[in-house]
Amino acid sequence: MNSHFAHFLKLLTEERGLAANTLQSYRRDLTQYLAYLDERNTPLEESSRVHVQGYMTHLRRLERASATISRNLVSIRSFYQFLIQQRVVERDPTMELEAPKPERRMPSVLSVEEVGRLLDAPSTKHSYGLRDKAMLELLYATGIRVTELVSLDRDHVYLEMGFIRCRGKGDKERMIPLNAEASRWLARYIEDVLPVWERDKQADKALFPNHLGGRLTRQGFWKIIKKHALDSGITAEITPHTLRHSFAVHLLDNGADLKSVQEMLGHADLASTIMYTRSATAKMKDVYHRAHPRSNLTTT
């Protein structure tokens, strides 16, 4: 192993206290970069911007994801900064290089039928099943983030008005409407379950406490939605934000305006909401080509 590389890894481990996964990423990224230089008979001390650019091109040819290439550039840049401090090199050849822009992937979205199966999966005969049912209905009704869901207190729900009050990113507060089905299940949960938990478990003011009476965590919800997705036979990819994404796409598919969806999702930037229009656009094109009388004409 290159002695400078070994010294750098030791510094990351002992002084910076990085997590094991982060250290492994640095080790892997830099091992591959040093191998690239070695294959070209280029000593590390003589490497330049041309070599770093060449390596980035090499990664693109290997069809590495933009996020992977960006991480490699960060690792290599950190290494060169260390080498400058050690007076091994005079300049950082990565300074004027820009990381590739991250790819915006369409998030995982369930069909309306799949959402129905997921929302019907919890057994409402039991208190925890009723809690889960209320949570899933609320998520799909409002599109709030999971972090926002588990942060809700009981006084954030206004069933008579049909709204919830939510604090999002940047501590910005917004009011989001509830549909009748979500309101019905929330009311039943609040009336039938929470009073019992307050008495038996001394639950705090959290709207959705865990089995110990404390606030449910994001990780706890992740386990819950995975369980119900499995029980409902859903094979599509499920993430903690699956119902949020499905909420946005289904609203836009059914004619909701982009600005209203942006406000309900709590997006500061409209571009974050626009990505959900891809599904609606694809659906519109399909309808167009099936319905327009000249779509299926052939030329001779």
Side-chain angles (χ1 to χ4, degrees):
M1 181 186 293
N2 181 287
S3 60
H4 301 303
F5 180 30
H7 188 184
F8 178 62
L9 289 179
K10 183 178 180 182
L11 174 71
L12 294 180
T13 304
E14 297 180 357
E15 295 186 20
R16 299 190 189 176
L18 298 183
N21 287 342
T22 305
L23 285 170
Q24 185 61 28
S25 294
Y26 272 104
R27 180 185 296 273
R28 181 175 57 252
D29 295 344
L30 294 173
T31 296
Q32 293 172 355
Y33 175 61
L34 292 173
Y36 174 86
L37 292 179
D38 190 55
E39 289 171 2
R40 284 150 184 79
N41 297 316
T42 302
L44 179 61
E45 295 81 359
E46 297 176 15
S47 59
S48 66
R49 176 178 174 177
V50 172
H51 297 99
V52 181
Q53 283 180 319
Y55 184 62
M56 296 296 108
T57 301
H58 170 70
L59 292 178
R60 282 191 288 271
R61 285 173 181 162
L62 293 175
E63 298 184 351
R64 298 290 188 261
S66 295
T68 300
I69 297 174
S70 296
R71 191 201 64 227
N72 271 267
L73 184 57
V74 169
S75 298
I76 294 169
R77 180 169 288 155
S78 296
F79 187 38
Y80 274 113
Q81 289 295 319
F82 164 77
L83 294 175
I84 289 173
Q85 293 173 2
Q86 299 296 311
R87 301 183 182 235
V88 177
V89 299
E90 294 182 359
R91 290 185 176 183
D92 178 358
T94 73
M95 285 305 296
E96 296 180 6
L97 297 181
E98 292 185 3
K101 293 182 179 179
E103 302 156 346
R104 276 189 175 269
R105 293 194 307 165
M106 182 63 192
S108 175
V109 173
L110 299 178
S111 68
V112 174
E113 185 271 335
E114 287 174 323
V115 169
R117 281 161 44 202
L118 178 61
L119 268 52
D120 288 341
S123 172
T124 55
K125 296 179 181 179
H126 309 289
S127 57
Y128 287 111
L130 194 50
R131 178 203 62 184
D132 295 354
K133 172 71 171 175
M135 282 196 301
L136 294 176
E137 288 283 357
L138 176 60
L139 270 185
Y140 184 56
T142 61
I144 60 176
R145 302 174 179 91
V146 173
T147 302
E148 295 168 345
L149 173 80
V150 299
S151 298
L152 287 174
D153 291 336
R154 298 169 200 186
D155 59 2
H156 292 161
V157 180
Y158 304 91
L159 290 177
E160 302 83 2
M161 299 171 58
F163 279 88
I164 63 165
R165 178 163 52 91
C166 169
R167 284 195 180 277
K169 291 184 177 180
D171 205 32
K172 292 182 179 179
E173 191 172 271
R174 64 190 192 278
M175 299 288 284
I176 310 170
L178 289 171
N179 60 40
E181 191 70 359
S183 295
R184 183 167 72 89
W185 285 107
L186 268 173
R188 183 174 165 187
Y189 163 71
I190 291 171
E191 292 169 6
D192 296 350
V193 175
L194 282 182
V196 177
W197 284 357
E198 281 183 331
R199 183 178 66 247
D200 295 346
K201 301 180 181 180
Q202 298 181 335
D204 65 14
K205 61 182 180 178
L207 179 60
F208 297 113
N210 59 25
H211 67 286
L212 297 175
R215 191 176 294 274
L216 186 69
T217 65
R218 179 186 170 91
Q219 292 74 22
F221 175 81
W222 173 221
K223 293 177 181 178
I224 289 169
I225 195 171
K226 282 180 67 177
K227 173 189 179 300
H228 293 310
L230 184 65
D231 291 345
S232 59
I234 293 174
T235 57
E237 180 186 0
I238 295 287
T239 72
H241 278 347
T242 292
L243 285 177
R244 174 175 166 83
H245 301 322
S246 302
F247 161 87
V249 169
H250 295 169
L251 280 181
L252 291 167
D253 279 354
N254 285 283
D257 68 276
L258 201 59
K259 185 65 177 175
S260 295
V261 175
Q262 177 194 4
E263 291 177 0
M264 285 184 277
L265 291 173
H267 284 159
D269 184 359
L270 188 61
S272 298
T273 315
I274 287 175
M275 70 175 180
Y276 293 113
T277 64
R278 294 178 186 174
S279 174
T281 301
K283 180 180 178 182
M284 179 176 63
K285 286 176 67 177
D286 180 60
V287 170
Y288 172 85
H289 288 303
R290 284 189 288 107
H292 197 285
R294 298 185 67 82
S295 284
N296 296 315
L297 292 180
T298 58
T299 57
T300 57

